[in-house]
């Protein structure tokens, strides 16, 4: 295929540079025609190619200080009955949590309506929990306690509902914050992915243009993709029933969870393409001795969020001959 029809996406600039260097050694100067970039730079390139379409000619990236000022402005605008309004002490106490929530909403492409539905579903799950279930035991009295009879609600259920309503109110402020950003002529890096994602979802011709351009998609460090990044990939390859998609991922190596990475993307990918999927398990290790690999496996098997897939082996074999006779063993101290 033509190199300009290939898209390689990775998580860091360092990863993109390393891939480019490797590719140049394989195929020479044609490697510079292959699009190799991070998700953010890929979306930024699309925006720069279509500035009129996005109407972003006057926007600049927001600084940390400007972001705090916008959040203060947002909090100052809460009415007196707002669940997050504070009149004493640290009146801007909620800013950090609002910032974290809005960032997660952008990364995962969650709407206030989506969060509200999840809140209602969670409360309903607790209210309809059968006697003997964990939810029932967590939030209702199982036996008589003081003035409380079996089946009465524990105080923690009222606390949960109060916190959920605070979360609902916070999520509903997201459109207001985005409006303040636009009025200030600012954007952040997560906005770039959302702009392109919304363009792909709402403009079929715009999406078709990039589906035609990128017919082969390769994704590195797939375990570190967020919900919005994963949706971006899915839209790009959605033209084909059996797309040309290649991903590399390791759920035991998901190090960017704080930035929205979701190892469940690997499981969903496997389910979606199960019939056509060709799997390559990388179990040869050239970095460590077998002693280290065996000890690491015993430790990491305690992880709660490991992916369970048919034929998936997590038993690594040391293949570096220079370590073959190593007698150095890991110690627990």
């Amino acid at each position: 295929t033509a190199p300009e029809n290939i898209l390689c996406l990775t998580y860091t600039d360092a990863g993109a540079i390393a891939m480019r260097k490797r590719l140049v050694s394989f195929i020479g100067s044609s490697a510079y025609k292959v699009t190799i970039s991070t998700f953010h730079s890929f979306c930024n390139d699309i925006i720069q190619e279509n500035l009129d379409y996005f109407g972003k000619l006057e926007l600049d990236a927001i600084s940390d200080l400007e972001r705090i000022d916008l959040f203060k402005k947002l909090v100052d605008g809460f009415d007196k009955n707002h669940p997050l309004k504070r009149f004493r002490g640290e009146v801007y106490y909620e800013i950090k949590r609002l910032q974290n929530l809005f960032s997660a909403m952008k990364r995962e492409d969650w709407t206030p309506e989506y969060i509200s539905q999840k809140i209602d579903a969670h409360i309903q799950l607790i209210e309809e929990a059968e006697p003997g279930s964990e939810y029932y035991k967590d939030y209702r009295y199982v036996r008589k306690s003081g003035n409380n009879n079996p089946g009465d609600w524990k105080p923690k259920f009222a606390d949960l509902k109060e916190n959920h309503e605070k979360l609902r109110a916070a999520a509903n402020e997201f459109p207001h914050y985005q409006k303040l950003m636009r009025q200030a002529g600012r954007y952040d890096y997560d906005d770039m992915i959302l702009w392109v994602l919304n363009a792909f979802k709402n403009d079929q011709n715009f999406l078709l243009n990039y589906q035609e351009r990128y017919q082969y998609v390769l994704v590195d460090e797939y375990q570190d993709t967020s919900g919005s990044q994963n949706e971006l990939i899915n839209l790009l390859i959605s033209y084909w029933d059996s797309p040309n998609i290649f991903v590399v991922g390791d759920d035991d190596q998901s190090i960017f969870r704080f930035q929205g990475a979701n190892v469940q993307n690997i499981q969903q990918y496997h389910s979606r393409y199960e019939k056509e999927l060709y799997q390559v398990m990388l179990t040869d290790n050239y970095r460590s001795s077998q002693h280290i690999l065996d000890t690491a496996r015993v430790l990491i098997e305690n992880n709660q969020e490991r992916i369970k897939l048919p034929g998936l082996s997590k038993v690594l074999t040391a293949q570096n001959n220079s370590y073959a006779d190593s007698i150095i063993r890991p110690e627990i101290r």
Side-chain angles (χ1 to χ4, degrees):
T1 191
E4 51 266 30
N5 293 140
I6 301 170
L7 171 64
C8 301
L9 293 169
T10 188
Y11 212 78
T12 64
D13 289 325
I17 292 168
M19 288 167 72
R20 178 86 64 194
K21 285 182 178 177
R22 185 77 63 89
L23 197 57
V24 168
S25 71
F26 289 155
I27 65 172
S29 60
S30 293
Y32 292 102
K33 296 179 182 177
V34 177
T35 300
I36 304 176
S37 66
T38 64
F39 283 91
H40 287 104
S41 61
F42 171 64
C43 290
N44 189 45
D45 287 345
I46 291 178
I47 291 167
Q48 295 303 316
E49 288 175 4
N50 303 275
L51 284 173
D52 290 342
Y53 180 90
F54 286 99
K56 308 301 177 191
L57 291 168
E58 303 301 323
L59 289 186
D60 294 311
I62 193 168
S63 70
D64 289 340
L65 288 175
E66 287 174 323
R67 183 181 287 110
I68 294 298
D69 280 342
L70 283 188
F71 274 106
K72 285 183 176 180
K73 200 171 183 180
L74 182 71
V75 170
D76 288 341
F78 292 168
D79 65 50
K80 63 180 182 180
N81 297 318
H82 196 287
L84 302 181
K85 185 75 171 178
R86 289 171 176 260
F87 296 97
R88 297 188 305 274
E90 180 50 75
V91 295
Y92 299 120
Y93 175 81
E94 300 291 350
I95 283 182
K96 185 66 177 175
R97 292 200 286 189
L98 285 166
Q99 193 171 331
N100 291 337
L101 173 65
F102 294 171
S103 183
M105 290 175 73
K106 289 181 181 185
R107 290 193 308 262
E108 298 299 330
D109 195 24
W110 291 337
T111 63
E113 293 75 21
Y114 173 82
I115 290 178
S116 191
Q117 288 168 6
K118 290 296 181 183
I119 289 171
D120 292 338
H122 188 223
I123 292 174
Q124 184 179 357
L125 200 64
I126 295 171
E127 289 177 337
E128 297 177 356
E130 297 287 334
S133 67
E134 287 302 316
Y135 271 134
Y136 192 94
K137 288 185 283 188
D138 277 348
Y139 293 101
R140 290 181 190 263
Y141 288 100
V142 179
R143 58 185 64 86
K144 187 170 177 58
S145 175
N147 295 326
N148 298 293
N149 296 312
D152 287 349
W153 292 108
K154 294 180 180 178
K156 66 185 294 187
F157 183 55
D159 293 340
L160 175 89
K161 290 205 290 187
E162 182 184 349
N163 287 332
H164 272 355
E165 289 311 312
K166 286 182 178 180
L167 173 59
R168 196 195 307 270
N172 286 337
E173 292 298 329
F174 178 67
H176 303 150
Y177 175 73
Q178 289 296 87
K179 185 178 180 181
L180 289 174
M181 288 266 283
R182 286 193 297 273
Q183 289 173 348
R186 295 292 183 265
Y187 70 90
D188 63 26
Y189 289 114
D190 291 320
D191 284 324
M192 293 192 295
I193 291 180
L194 279 190
W195 291 339
V196 174
L197 197 54
N198 288 330
F200 281 175
K201 285 194 285 191
N202 299 318
D203 190 333
Q204 186 66 24
N205 288 328
F206 189 85
L207 174 60
L208 280 169
N209 177 36
Y210 287 96
Q211 287 177 330
E212 184 178 17
R213 183 185 305 186
Y214 299 117
Q215 297 174 21
Y216 291 81
V217 179
L218 302 94
V219 187
D220 190 25
E221 306 289 4
Y222 188 61
Q223 77 279 352
D224 288 328
T225 52
S226 67
S228 58
Q229 291 167 341
N230 199 43
E231 192 173 359
L232 193 74
I233 298 166
N234 289 336
L235 284 167
L236 271 176
I237 63 178
S238 63
Y239 181 83
W240 298 272
D241 292 330
S242 183
N244 299 307
I245 172 80
F246 175 92
V247 305
V248 180
D250 179 1
D251 58 301
D252 285 332
Q253 199 180 312
S254 186
I255 59 175
F256 285 105
R257 188 61 182 266
F258 67 95
Q259 291 183 345
N262 187 351
V263 294
Q264 298 306 316
N265 290 342
I266 297 176
Q267 196 136 15
Q268 291 164 6
Y269 178 88
H270 184 275
S271 301
R272 186 179 295 116
Y273 303 114
E274 192 169 8
K275 292 179 181 176
E276 301 102 342
L277 192 63
Y278 181 72
Q279 299 179 74
V280 180
M281 302 299 171
L282 301 178
T283 55
D284 289 344
N285 180 289
Y286 297 90
R287 184 175 292 173
S288 306
S289 70
Q290 194 64 48
H291 304 309
I292 290 175
L293 296 178
D294 292 343
T295 304
R297 185 177 73 252
V298 171
L299 176 67
I300 208 167
E301 279 173 352
N302 293 291
N303 282 2
Q304 298 298 308
E305 296 188 18
R306 300 184 92 203
I307 298 292
K308 303 288 193 297
L309 296 176
L312 179 61
S313 171
K314 296 300 186 79
V315 180
L316 302 184
T317 305
Q319 297 288 4
N320 191 327
N321 291 331
S322 62
Y323 300 148
D325 300 321
S326 173
I327 60 170
I328 301 172
R329 294 176 178 268
E331 296 177 8
I332 297 175
R333 297 193 177 188

